[in-house]
Amino acid sequence: QVQLVESGGGLVQAGGSLRLSCEASGRTFSRCTMGWFRQAPGKEREFVAAISWSGGTTYDEDFVKGRFTISRDNAKNSVYLKMNSLKPEDTAVYYCAARPAGRSISPRELDYDYWGQGTQVTVSS
């Protein structure tokens, strides 16, 4: 079992930056693929980025376009999402998610078994 707690959301002006953090409980974190998803009001939840246990990464390139960076620190049981050049359309609740230990990197929401409660990111114009 993995429990996830996100932090770092808030209100930022367009063009600004935020770094989201997700701290995980459980002894298998270092072997888990981790992902970030987001859900804007009235929209479905969508994939943002993922990082494998070995550090490989993948991003949704439709809107990320080099602005976001996912990273992890296994010693701290944490995964991060650094977001630069934020736009009002990035406003959403951002969720951290984990796959079961040993599973490969994936952008599919259904592949993730564990979810955090979400952290709100609001970008003002």
Side-chain angles (χ1 to χ4, degrees), residues 4 14 16 19 21 33 49 51 54 56-57 65 67 77 79 81 96 98 100 102 104 108-109 111 114 116 120 123 125:
L4 306 172
R19 190 179 84 149
S21 299
T33 284
I51 185 166
S54 61
T57 60
K65 298 188 184 301
R67 299 182 297 129
N77 271 21
V79 63
L81 184 69
C96 175
S104 61
R108 285 168 23 103
E109 181 177 346
D111 288 339
Y114 308 104
Q120 176 70 47
V123 184
S125 57

Side-chain angles (χ1 to χ4, degrees), residues 34-51:
M34 302 297 296
W36 285 98
F37 293 77
R38 70 184 190 181
Q39 187 168 22
K43 296 186 177 181
E44 294 186 350
R45 190 155 55 185
E46 62 182 351
F47 171 74
V48 177
I51 185 166

